[in-house]
Amino acid sequence: SKNNGKNQTTVFRDLLHDEILEYVELQSNLKNALTAGEFELYYQPQFNMNTNEMIGSEALLRWNSPDKGIIPPDRFIGIAEKTGFIIELGDWVIKEVCRHIQEWEERKLNYGKVSINLSGVQILSSAFLNHIDEIFAAYDIAPKKIVFEITENVAIDDSITTIAKLEALRALHFEVALDDFGTNYSSLSYLKKLPIDYLKLDKSFVYSLGQDDKTGAITESIIYMAHRIGLKVIAEGVEKLEHMEILKKFNCDFAQGYLFSRPVSKSDFERIYLED
Ligand code: C2E
Ligand code: CA
Ligand code: CA
Ligand code: CA
């Protein structure tokens, strides 16, 4: 009825209002949060599927808000990208990883490699490579200890600029991973144009393994093809033993997921994986 419609509109308007309020609030809080030291890096270990040894970890951003608790990145990365704040935040992430690696080097801990997520906004900004130079000039860290992750859509959307930036990173001896592979167009043909070292199979893809034969056939083919063009494959979102067994059968190289570990704080990561 007419009345119902009106109620729904009101409900909708209130929801929208709340969302906008939250958005505006988050946006202004982000900068203060960085200054106040409310951001923290968690680490999720990655494993070699054949030897089971830990080969490294992915750094994942967390915001410890004093009044809202732990806010996951999906809630604020998009906003930070729209305001451009992601560039400052992204620089902080790289510096923080460098600081941690330096400490692990000094303590002679075997941390493997560390993967850092790059936003498209960050990598496409004109100052990106200068920022990389400046940050790494301040630390004595072998670039081969760092893997930069970029998502598939960034790689496709602006492929010429992206390719140039990735080539520059690899010329500096950093490694590059293509993240979330399998979520978008997944055209295999552009893979050969991208200067990358790893392909990360998206968790939505991994999750369907064992549920239908086609996903299995496609996954096996992707891994086979990735190997043929010299890429190593990391499966993300490995939650079940069954996923692990299927991926192993398909010769997948590395795995990351709740089956092994959730992302954990730096101190937990050190205690569980780095110290003996
Ligand atoms: P992503 O790069 O695809 O990271 C993997 C996400 O999957 C992480 O979520 C991780 O906690 C989650 N995950 C790991 N194993 C499993 C599993 O077995 N099952 C399931 N269901 N999920 C699993 P998280 O930490 O919430 O991060 C979400 C996204 O936020 C990341 O997706 C990445 O796109 C972005 N992000 C995180 N840290 C940063 C950062 O420092 N910079 C930028 N630009 N983006 C970041
Ligand atoms: Ca990632
Ligand atoms: Ca991913
Ligand atoms: Ca993702």
Side-chain angles (χ1 to χ4, degrees):
S1 72
K2 208 177 172 187
N3 225 353
N4 267 339
K6 195 177 174 188
N7 287 340
Q8 278 171 16
T9 309
T10 312
V11 169
F12 179 66
R13 198 174 51 218
D14 286 350
L15 275 176
L16 199 62
H17 183 247
D18 285 352
E19 230 163 74
I20 291 168
L21 263 188
E22 196 198 357
Y23 182 94
V24 171
E25 204 185 298
L26 278 176
Q27 179 180 330
S28 66
N29 284 348
L30 281 171
K31 211 180 161 63
N32 296 334
L34 186 58
T35 319
E38 289 169 17
F39 287 104
E40 181 180 357
L41 291 183
Y42 271 41
Y43 291 91
Q44 186 178 34
Q46 303 168 322
F47 298 88
N48 180 313
M49 281 206 161
N50 294 310
T51 64
N52 291 327
E53 77 181 318
M54 193 198 74
I55 53 116
S57 64
E58 177 175 6
L60 292 158
L61 198 52
R62 298 289 179 267
W63 175 9
N64 301 309
S65 162
D67 35 85
K68 293 203 178 70
I70 298 183
I71 305 177
D74 286 335
R75 293 265 308 285
F76 60 85
I77 294 283
I79 295 169
E81 284 177 332
K82 286 199 187 85
T83 63
F85 180 68
I86 191 71
I87 293 176
E88 203 177 330
L89 187 57
D91 281 352
W92 179 85
V93 170
I94 300 171
K95 274 184 220 155
E96 189 73 352
V97 166
C98 286
R99 214 168 59 79
H100 292 168
I101 287 184
Q102 187 134 305
E103 188 193 320
W104 294 335
E105 287 286 346
E106 279 159 13
R107 295 172 58 196
K108 304 214 180 327
L109 299 175
N110 191 6
Y111 58 92
K113 296 175 191 273
V114 181
S115 293
I116 299 175
N117 289 286
L118 293 178
S119 151
V121 174
Q122 192 182 359
I123 191 169
L124 292 175
S125 85
S126 56
F128 174 69
L129 290 168
N130 289 336
H131 288 191
I132 294 287
D133 277 342
E134 279 167 27
I135 294 169
F136 282 90
Y139 295 89
D140 186 22
I141 289 170
K144 68 171 200 302
K145 303 300 280 182
I146 309 272
V147 181
F148 286 110
E149 298 193 357
I150 59 145
T151 58
E152 208 183 14
N153 29 349
V154 175
I156 302 165
D157 287 353
D158 197 333
S159 62
I160 293 177
T161 320
T162 309
I163 288 170
K165 301 264 172 122
L166 298 184
E167 273 168 355
L169 286 176
R170 288 178 91 218
L172 295 167
H173 306 292
F174 293 107
E175 289 190 308
V176 177
L178 186 62
D179 205 357
D180 296 354
F181 188 82
T183 46
N184 284 305
Y185 316 85
S186 296
S187 152
L188 301 181
S189 62
Y190 75 82
L191 267 187
K192 70 169 191 260
K193 293 193 297 184
L194 287 176
I196 55 175
D197 302 282
Y198 305 92
L199 198 140
K200 289 192 86 172
L201 274 181
D202 190 67
K203 54 177 175 282
S204 61
F205 216 75
V206 171
Y207 200 78
S208 312
L209 285 177
Q211 287 177 7
D212 65 289
D213 292 345
K214 281 185 184 168
T215 305
I218 294 169
T219 307
E220 186 171 21
S221 310
I222 289 173
I223 295 170
Y224 176 80
M225 184 243 11
H227 286 160
R228 286 297 305 265
I229 60 171
L231 306 179
K232 298 238 183 266
V233 180
I234 307 169
E236 69 172 21
V238 178
E239 292 184 359
K240 301 178 180 169
L241 210 54
E242 190 191 5
H243 299 156
M244 175 72 182
E245 278 157 4
I246 295 171
L247 289 162
K248 220 167 165 173
K249 210 174 68 199
F250 294 165
N251 290 320
C252 185
D253 304 281
F254 310 117
Q256 176 183 351
Y258 295 168
L259 177 66
F260 311 95
S261 170
R262 291 193 171 249
V264 292
S265 69
K266 172 177 177 275
S267 58
D268 281 347
F269 180 65
E270 291 169 350
R271 188 174 47 77
I272 304 169
Y273 297 101
L274 305 186
E275 292 157 359
D276 40 34

